[in-house]
Amino acid sequence: MTRHKTKHQIYTGRFAPSPTGPLHMGSLVAAMASYLDAKAHDGIWLLRMEDLDFDRNVKGADQHILQSLERCGMQWDGEVTWQSQRQALYETALQKLGNNVYPCACSRKEIADSRLRMGEAASQVYPGTCRQGIAPGKVARAWRLQVPDQVIAFTDRLCGKLSQNLAQEVGDFVLKRADGFWAYQLAVVVDDAAQGITDVVRGADLIDSTARQIYLQKLLGLPTPTYLHVPVVTNAHGEKLSKQTGALAFDRDGVDILHEALLPAARFLGLKMDDSVDDIATFWSKAIPAWREKFL
Ligand code: GLU
């Protein structure tokens, strides 16, 4: 059920970067979109470090992200939260899911091999090997959520009506990984609810995760926020900007943040920004109404 804000419930948005490196233009666009939507609603904007993948975290990246946001004039409300300090909450949620979760002993190779047999169309779907129990002699590695053969539908504020059949398009997905780390899908659902997030604004690369998150919210009895997924920035090869595709930090020595980061990010989001902006405070004072006009 979409959470309808009552007069007592203030708009609460968030930016939830993974501290795997400095912010690049793609993550700046996501940060800006969530910030502008919160400001356009006179709401609260929280900052949450999604640092659960200890193998991918980069030392100091969290502080670099905070400094870059401050240099951009994007001040978050309240204390920053770190998911690594909230792991007891994810354990409680996993317990609450009871028989909906089961241990899985499959290695990546075994999953890939069974996918081959299932053909192209089902290439991403977990074949359900451990649903009925782990084969003798095998050891539990991960915990998966059993998903129904049922369509989960939601309305994205930008993309409109979307739906996904979890059993057919995703398969039983991992909540606790074989390496012992909590999976993004569970942590994001627990934290969005615990932090009272009413509106999620993020990159379209996460659209595909939304039905999974809504299903988890339902099982856990948590409200569903509204969703807005903004286009992702791609490089000259059409790849999403990321550390893997070699995206540069936008906040580097010699970069003019206003003209080389903020204004291009706003234009990428389709905001009408004239050239008369010559300082960061003016930038925001124009970007907020421009966002309101386009997205509210
Ligand atoms: N931590 C995720 C990322 O960096 C974003 C999660 C979200 O906004 O739901 O891509």
Side-chain angles (χ1 to χ4, degrees):
M1 294 303 96
T2 298
R3 172 185 273 190
H4 293 288
K5 287 182 280 299
T6 64
K7 35 179 210 295
H8 304 294
Q9 192 179 19
I10 185 156
Y11 176 110
T12 307
R14 77 338 185 246
F15 176 50
S18 304
T20 55
L23 297 180
H24 48 70
M25 279 306 284
S27 30
L28 176 61
V29 163
M32 181 180 285
S34 65
Y35 179 79
L36 283 174
D37 201 47
K39 294 294 154 188
H41 283 91
D42 296 318
I44 287 171
W45 187 62
L46 301 179
L47 194 59
R48 182 171 76 225
M49 287 292 165
E50 301 211 323
D51 60 342
L52 289 176
D53 189 330
F54 299 130
D55 291 341
R56 288 183 63 228
N57 290 342
V58 168
K59 201 162 178 285
D62 50 358
Q63 295 307 324
H64 193 284
I65 289 171
L66 300 181
Q67 280 161 19
S68 296
L69 292 172
E70 280 179 330
R71 276 169 51 99
C72 286
M74 299 165 82
Q75 188 54 59
W76 53 91
D77 295 298
E79 300 281 316
V80 178
T81 49
W82 272 264
Q83 287 191 320
S84 56
Q85 294 168 9
R86 301 168 63 83
Q87 300 189 64
L89 295 175
Y90 315 138
E91 182 64 52
T92 306
L94 188 76
Q95 298 300 329
K96 202 169 168 193
L97 289 166
N99 290 334
N100 291 294
V101 294
Y102 62 87
C104 172
C106 296
S107 65
R108 279 176 199 272
K109 186 173 181 316
E110 286 162 336
I111 297 170
D113 285 352
S114 26
R115 275 184 195 151
L116 289 180
R117 285 196 291 277
M118 291 177 73
E120 287 283 310
S123 62
Q124 296 306 314
V125 177
Y126 175 65
T129 319
C130 295
R131 242 191 201 210
Q132 309 310 331
I134 291 179
K138 294 247 179 187
V139 182
R141 297 159 49 86
W143 286 85
R144 286 183 187 271
L145 180 73
Q146 188 160 337
V147 297
D149 189 3
Q150 179 188 315
V151 172
I152 306 284
F154 64 99
T155 303
D156 181 272
R157 281 171 51 201
L158 186 61
C159 311
K161 283 194 186 346
L162 297 167
S163 61
Q164 192 176 49
N165 181 309
L166 289 180
Q168 289 170 22
E169 297 172 57
V170 180
D172 298 343
F173 58 94
V174 170
L175 300 183
K176 191 169 191 189
R177 296 165 24 173
D179 51 19
F181 300 157
W182 292 103
Y184 157 69
Q185 306 292 359
L186 180 65
V188 76
V189 163
V190 168
D191 284 341
D192 281 343
Q195 297 185 290
I197 302 301
T198 58
D199 295 76
V200 170
V201 179
R202 60 187 177 189
D205 52 317
L206 293 165
I207 271 197
D208 195 50
S209 290
T210 307
R212 268 171 267 188
Q213 294 171 15
I214 291 174
Y215 181 59
L216 266 173
Q217 289 154 3
K218 291 202 162 92
L219 288 180
L220 291 166
L222 303 173
T224 292
T226 63
Y227 289 97
L228 192 170
H229 291 87
V230 293
V232 291
V233 183
T234 52
N235 63 19
H237 307 290
E239 301 159 328
K240 175 189 168 247
L241 291 195
S242 70
K243 202 172 132 185
Q244 288 73 25
T245 58
L248 289 178
F250 75 80
D251 181 9
R252 332 182 280 285
D253 281 350
V255 170
D256 169 350
I257 295 274
L258 174 62
H259 292 97
E260 295 175 62
L262 292 174
L263 280 164
R267 293 201 175 106
F268 177 83
L269 287 166
L271 304 185
K272 288 197 206 95
M273 299 293 290
D274 56 55
D275 291 325
S276 67
V277 175
D278 45 25
D279 63 78
I280 288 180
T282 310
F283 169 82
W284 292 113
S285 72
K286 297 199 172 195
I288 294 166
W291 177 275
R292 206 174 266 135
E293 192 187 321
K294 189 169 163 69
F295 291 100
L296 263 59

